[in-house]
C-alpha cells in the first residue's frame, strides 16, 4: 500500500465498521454480453466475504448486443441488481456518472465489466476504509496486459498532465476505487458536463490511499477504445484541469515579439550602415509563414476552450435514462 503521489495518506478519524453498511458496485457496460456470465460468477464469489450488503448498479451505455436483455433476465431473480439503460451510447464517463448518481450505498465502487478490476481486491479496500481512509484506489503496477504503445501514451499523458495541472492525479490509478458516501456526495455536486472522472476523483480530496494490483487482460469481448478516442479523452482531461495550453501563447508571443524587435533593430542598422539590400523575399516569407502558423495554432487552442465553454454553457444533462429496472420507485 504505497501511495505513489503527493496526496496525504494518513487516516485521522480512526476505525470505522462495515457492519450494517451497503456497498454499491457501479458497472458501466458497452457491448459486454460476452463477459456478463463470468462477471456475475466472480461477483458472487467475491461479495460473499465482504460482510456488507451489496447493491449492483449496472449501466447499459447504449449497447448494441444482448447486454441489456441479459441484465433484464438477471434482474428478475437477483434482488441486488439495479439496471439503468441510457438512451444511447454516452461514453464511459457519462455511464459512470449515471451509475454513481443512482447508487444508494454508504460506499461506492466503480468497476469495469471486463474483470480488469478484480472484485476480490474490494475486500482489501474495505479494510483500509475501516482504518479511516475515505478513498481507496487501485494502482495498476503491472500493465503488461496493455500494449507497449498504450503504456507509452498513458505514461506520457500522466507525466504531461501532472506537470501542468494544479491537481496531480496518481499515475496508473484508474476509476477502480472505493469511495465513502461523503466523497460521492462531493462528486455529485460538481456541475461540469465534461466528466473527466480520474481528475474529479482526485480533485475532491479527502483522505486517499492507493493499493497496488496487477491488471489482468480483458476477460472476453473487445475494448471500446481506440487511439483517436483516447487522444480526445486525454485532451478533455487537459482542458478540464489546466489552462496552461492557453497561457503558453502569452510567453511564446512575448518571445516572438522580442525576436522581431531584435531583428528589426538589426535590419535598420544594416540599412543605415550598408545601404539598401536586395529585397529579402525568402526571409520575409519564412517569418510570415512561421508567424501565421503560430497564430493559427493559438486560435485553435482558443477554439478548443471556447468550444468547451459553449458545451458547459448549454447545460445539457450528462446522460439520459431510457429505462430503469430493479429500483424501488
Ligand atoms: N464502456 C462504456 N461506454 C463506452 C465505452 C466503454 O460504458 O462507450 C465501459 C465498458 O463496458 C467497460 C469499461 O467502460 O466496462 C471499460 O471499457 P474497456 O474495457 O473497453 O476499456 P479498457 O479497459 O480497454 O480501457
Ligand atoms: Mg477493459
Amino acid at each position: 500500500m504505497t501511495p505513489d503521489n503527493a496526496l496525504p495518506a494518513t487516516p485521522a478519524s480512526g476505525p470505522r465498521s462495515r457492519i450494517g453498511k451497503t456497498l454499491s458496485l457501479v458497472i458501466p457496460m458497452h457491448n459486454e454480453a460476452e463477459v456478463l456470465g463470468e462477471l456475475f460468477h466472480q461477483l458472487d464469489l467475491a461479495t460473499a466475504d465482504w460482510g456488507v450488503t451489496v447493491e449492483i448498479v449496472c449501466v447499459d451505455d447504449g449497447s448494441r448486443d444482448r447486454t441489456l436483455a441479459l441484465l433484464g433476465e438477471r434482474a428478475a431473480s437477483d434482488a441486488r441488481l439495479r439496471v439503468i439503460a441510457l438512451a444511447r451510447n454516452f461514453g464511459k464517463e457519462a455511464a459512470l456518472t449515471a451509475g454513481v448518481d443512482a447508487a444508494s450505498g454508504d460506499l461506492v465502487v466503480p468497476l469495469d465489466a471486463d474483470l480488469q478490476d478484480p472484485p476480490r481486491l474490494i475486500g482489501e479496500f474495505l479494510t483500509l476504509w475501516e482504518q479511516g481512509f475515505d478513498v481507496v484506489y487501485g494502482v495498476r503496477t503491472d500493465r503488461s496486459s496493455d500494449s507497449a504503445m498504450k503504456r507509452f501514451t498513458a505514461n506520457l499523458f500522466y507525466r504531461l498532465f501532472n506537470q501542468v495541472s494544479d491537481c496531480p492525479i496518481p499515475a496508473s490509478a484508474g476509476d477502480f476505487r472505493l469511495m465513502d458516501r461523503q466523497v460521492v456526495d462531493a462528486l455529485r455536486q460538481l456541475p461540469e458536463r465534461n466528466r473527466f472522472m480520474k481528475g474529479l476523483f482526485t480533485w475532491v480530496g479527502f483522505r486517499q490511499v492507493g493499493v497496488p494490483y496487477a491488471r489482468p487482460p480483458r476477460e472476453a469481448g473487445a475494448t471500446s477504445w481506440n487511439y483517436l478516442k483516447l487522444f480526445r479523452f486525454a485532451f478533455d482531461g487537459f482542458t478540464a484541469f489546466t489552462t496552461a495550453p492557453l497561457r503558453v501563447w502569452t510567453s511564446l508571443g512575448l518571445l516572438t515579439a522580442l525576436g522581431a524587435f531584435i531583428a528589426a533593430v538589426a535590419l535598420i542598422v544594416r540599412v543605415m550602415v550598408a545601404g539598401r539590400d536586395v529585397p529579402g523575399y525568402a526571409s520575409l516569407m519564412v517569418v510570415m509563414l512561421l508567424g501565421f502558423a503560430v497564430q493559427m495554432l493559438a486560435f485553435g487552442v482558443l477554439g478548443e476552450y471556447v468550444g468547451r465553454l459553449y458545451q458547459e454553457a448549454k447545460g445539457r444533462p450528462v446522460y439520459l435514462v431510457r429505462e430503469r429496472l430493479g429500483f424501488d420507485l
Side-chain angles (χ1 to χ4, degrees):
M1 225 186 302
T2 36
D4 57 348
N5 57 81
L7 290 168
T10 29
S13 64
R16 295 189 270 222
S17 169
R18 68 180 77 177
I19 296 166
K21 299 290 184 199
T22 306
L23 184 149
S24 304
L25 292 168
V26 174
I27 317 183
M29 298 181 174
H30 180 238
N31 298 338
E32 299 286 8
E34 276 176 67
V35 83
L36 279 190
E38 184 60 23
L39 172 68
F40 282 103
H41 176 63
Q42 293 286 335
L43 284 183
D44 286 340
L45 290 180
T47 50
D49 41 52
W50 290 347
V52 291
T53 310
V54 174
E55 169 193 64
I56 307 177
V57 182
C58 292
V59 184
D60 175 53
D61 186 15
S63 297
R64 261 162 304 176
D65 64 358
R66 286 184 34 78
T67 302
L68 186 58
L70 292 174
L71 285 174
E73 282 167 24
R74 196 167 279 271
S77 61
D78 188 343
R80 302 170 303 170
L81 193 58
R82 325 244 178 280
V83 181
I84 301 169
L86 300 189
R88 62 171 167 84
N89 178 243
F90 280 90
K92 180 182 175 185
E93 309 294 295
L96 209 54
T97 306
V100 169
D101 284 350
S104 65
D106 306 296
L107 301 161
V108 175
V109 179
L111 193 76
D112 277 5
D114 57 7
L115 288 165
Q116 285 196 283
D117 303 329
R120 59 188 151 68
L121 219 65
I122 296 170
E124 212 175 306
F125 287 4
L126 275 165
T127 311
L128 280 160
W129 173 81
E130 284 186 317
Q131 286 171 15
F133 289 104
D134 305 308
V135 178
V136 188
Y137 58 86
V139 178
R140 294 163 280 185
T141 49
D142 171 19
R143 298 190 64 162
S144 53
S145 62
D146 286 333
S147 71
M149 180 72 177
K150 173 101 183 257
R151 269 177 292 165
F152 173 76
T153 47
N155 262 331
L156 190 72
F157 170 76
Y158 285 116
R159 204 169 297 164
L160 269 175
F161 187 94
N162 288 342
Q163 201 114 85
V164 297
S165 162
D166 322 321
C167 165
I169 48 180
S172 295
D175 298 328
F176 184 36
R177 60 190 57 225
L178 179 141
M179 292 177 283
D180 190 84
R181 172 49 57 185
Q182 242 189 316
V183 179
V184 175
D185 288 342
L187 266 177
R188 293 190 54 198
Q189 278 178 26
L190 305 182
E192 57 236 85
R193 318 278 122 199
N194 178 1
R195 309 300 289 185
F196 185 66
M197 295 307 265
K198 274 184 225 259
L200 300 182
F201 283 150
T202 312
W203 184 88
V204 293
F206 294 91
R207 288 176 296 264
Q208 308 210 358
V209 69
V211 176
Y213 73 103
R215 190 162 169 85
R218 194 172 233 291
E219 185 66 33
T223 175
S224 305
W225 297 87
N226 56 39
Y227 281 108
L228 186 66
K229 262 195 181 174
L230 279 172
F231 179 77
R232 286 210 194 112
F233 181 57
F235 209 84
D236 277 343
F238 267 101
T239 51
F241 280 89
T242 174
T243 48
L246 279 177
R247 280 176 286 135
V248 86
W249 302 106
T250 319
S251 342
L252 210 73
L254 278 175
L255 268 177
T256 319
L258 191 71
F261 181 72
I262 294 171
V265 171
L267 280 175
I268 291 169
V269 170
R270 209 171 75 174
V271 170
M272 288 199 308
V273 174
R276 202 171 285 170
D277 204 352
V278 181
Y281 175 75
S283 56
L284 213 72
M285 210 50 195
V286 168
V287 170
M288 275 175 59
L289 286 177
L290 198 83
F292 279 145
V294 169
Q295 283 188 35
M296 285 300 155
L297 259 175
F299 273 137
V301 171
L302 257 177
E304 295 283 350
Y305 278 89
V306 173
R308 281 167 174 78
L309 272 174
Y310 180 53
Q311 294 292 345
E312 298 288 340
K314 276 190 289 190
R316 285 187 186 156
V318 178
Y319 58 86
L320 290 172
V321 175
R322 196 185 65 215
E323 206 180 324
R324 290 155 72 92
L325 293 171
F327 289 88
D328 293 335
L329 6 143

